Amino acid sequence: MSILNSITKSRVWRSFFRHGWPDNPLDRSLIMTTNVFFHLHPVKVNLKSIKATYSLGLGILTVASFISLALTGIMLMFYYVPSVERAFPDIVALQNSVPFGQLFRNMHRWGAHLMVLTCVLHMARVFYTGAYKPPREFNWVIGVVLLILTLGASFTGYLLPWDQLAYWAITVGTSIASYEPVMGALIKKILLGGPEVGQASLTRFYGLHIMVIPALLFLLISLHMWRVRKDGGLAANDLDVAPAEDAQK
Amino acid sequence: MADQSPQKEAFPKGSVKTYNLVEVVRGRTNMIEKGPDNTIFAFPIVAILELLIALGTGAFLVLFSLVKNAPLEDLANPLVTTDPAKAPWYFMGLQEMLEHAHPLISGIILPGVMVLFVMAIPYLDNSRVGSGRWFTSARGKKITLWTTIYTTIIMPTYIVIDNLFPPRELLRGILPDFVAQSLIPVIILAIIVLLPVAVLMRSKPNAREVMLVLFTVLFISAVIFTLSGFLFRGPGFKLYWPWDMPNGYNPLNNL
């Protein structure tokens, strides 16, 4: 214990952490307010809001799959070139000759499906627990935008293996946009960079997939979680006051 | 009990006071009427729960990835169309809808209306009552249950009947295209969606209960349309049982 003490009391350690060992109320408050990762959380939580049957942990699950997608995505980027000549052979080589290549690709694929699924389920949970109600209205809107971005991330990634499945799924998917009479043809052209799926589309989808959409997701997920705290934590915190307000209405 | 003189100011100005009552605002602070015994420090319990969920997600992904490989078909070939050609699974609800109305309606206008409706929910139902409680009330639970049963029965029925007797095809040339392709499908879908709302209206619902019906119809329909498009559409985008597809087509390979 004295070794631990001498470490946590040292000047180096104290320059990292601006709070003492979090075993007392003051330091457990300070760890939340002075740490950039923890500050998205409130200092205290209502016991009801951490019950598994309340939130089902779906929001955190979505973030967890997003993080695993970012990590496995970086691994895939090291072995993948987004050109119509190289994309497909790169994926084959990744699977056959890169150590754990197949595993990382599988994790990235199933993680993407998992993230879409948990995102949708999280939205249903928030709706059915009435957690979109004031003052959380705008956070609900951010959540809907996050769902659309998640679909966009998955859709742009779908093209990258450049196999028949990818090619025709994106051809079908983008043709839906072209039914819009005013902007449809333009949107399709901007997405694909040409009249049909080709090298320009692959370049654009790759750029959107690895940079634009993840950056937006990162920004909006941070905003989304920070607002949960700013709006009073999970809506289960409100339960204790609901009867009094029922009487007011 | 010395302060009973009627002239006594409720908030007298005092020379030692550095604050003053400026205005009375209706509302409450965050923690009012909440027993302090009901809250605990977020650290470390929240950090531990989050870590456990993250580790569980990672472990699940690794195990699942060891069991099932991501699909990879032949090199993309613009000259050889796959049959069926399907969008990713989460857009299969959209692709299924395209079978039932003019693409402008089913591919653009209806999805647009749905997204706008979902975004608008907190502004349509802005009462704070029941926030943080599953289904708000026992009545809300019942409404959700009945709407789920209703949607689970009527939407597959609609898909099958509309597929057997598609008004878009049967009325082609008899009625103007706009009526057969757009107006009739929209009227049928509007009746399906608004019927439970009409039933609910007879018992004077609040905004939350109307939202429960509309969101449940939308959510369950989205699930059913997605399943129908993803699992039950085979070659030629015709309806088959998932285990009985022609040409050895397996819809699960499209993941």
Side-chain angles (χ1 to χ4, degrees), chain B:
Chain B
M1 284 292 153
D3 301 346
Q4 285 188 346
S5 93
Q7 288 90 354
K8 175 114 181 116
E9 253 190 287
F11 300 96
K13 283 195 177 117
S15 54
V16 285
K17 260 183 23 184
T18 53
Y19 58 90
N20 212 345
L21 182 76
V22 177
E23 195 183 348
V24 178
V25 180
R26 194 175 290 277
R28 56 186 175 76
T29 62
N30 258 352
M31 290 307 288
I32 204 162
E33 285 179 27
K34 269 184 238 184
D37 48 332
N38 228 355
T39 59
I40 55 166
F41 277 99
F43 190 89
I45 181 70
V46 170
I48 291 172
L49 288 175
E50 287 177 357
L51 190 67
L52 283 179
I53 294 176
L55 287 176
T57 309
F60 169 78
L61 279 178
V62 170
L63 288 178
F64 194 84
S65 298
L66 289 174
V67 176
K68 185 125 179 67
N69 278 346
L72 188 66
E73 291 184 357
D74 297 333
L75 175 66
N77 186 349
L79 303 175
V80 181
T81 316
T82 56
D83 185 27
K86 287 188 178 182
W89 65 271
Y90 39 85
F91 286 148
M92 284 317 295
L94 214 59
Q95 209 179 331
E96 173 68 49
M97 290 233 302
L98 290 175
E99 293 294 302
H100 301 281
H102 188 276
L104 176 60
I105 299 288
S106 54
I108 305 293
I109 294 178
L110 282 182
V113 168
M114 284 179 208
V115 170
L116 287 180
F117 163 72
V118 170
M119 282 189 174
I121 286 176
Y123 302 96
L124 299 171
D125 164 29
N126 52 18
S127 143
R128 292 187 64 161
V129 179
S131 167
R133 197 183 286 127
W134 275 93
F135 307 110
T136 302
S137 60
R139 194 173 125 96
K141 205 178 211 170
K142 231 167 99 181
I143 289 170
T144 309
L145 179 70
W146 282 108
T147 312
T148 305
I149 294 172
Y150 164 82
T151 315
T152 314
I153 293 171
I154 197 140
M155 277 305 177
T157 314
Y158 166 74
I159 291 173
V160 171
I161 292 181
D162 193 71
N163 191 61
L164 284 175
F165 311 103
R168 295 179 61 186
E169 306 301 326
L170 298 177
L171 298 174
R172 197 186 291 277
I174 302 173
L175 290 172
D177 263 7
F178 171 73
V179 177
Q181 309 273 319
S182 303
L183 199 57
I184 291 178
V186 166
I187 290 174
I188 295 174
L189 282 172
I191 291 173
I192 291 177
V193 171
L194 294 178
L195 189 66
V197 179
V199 172
L200 186 72
M201 281 302 171
R202 295 169 54 185
S203 58
K204 294 208 171 29
N206 58 33
R208 168 67 168 159
E209 289 165 347
V210 177
M211 290 304 123
L212 276 174
V213 168
L214 285 176
F215 184 86
T216 306
V217 169
L218 190 130
F219 181 60
I220 303 292
S221 305
V223 172
I224 288 171
F225 272 74
T226 304
L227 283 178
S228 169
F230 178 67
L231 280 180
F232 292 85
R233 291 286 179 176
F237 217 66
K238 291 190 173 71
L239 284 175
Y240 296 96
W241 293 111
W243 54 85
D244 198 23
M245 292 279 175
N247 313 335
Y249 169 72
N250 179 0
L252 290 179
N253 290 342
N254 272 29
L255 279 172

Side-chain angles (χ1 to χ4, degrees), chain A residues 80-87 90 160 199 202-203 206-207:
Chain A
Y80 175 84
V81 177
S83 86
V84 294
E85 287 86 27
R86 287 207 43 195
D90 277 355
L160 304 186
Q199 176 60 56
L202 188 57
T203 310
Y206 184 71

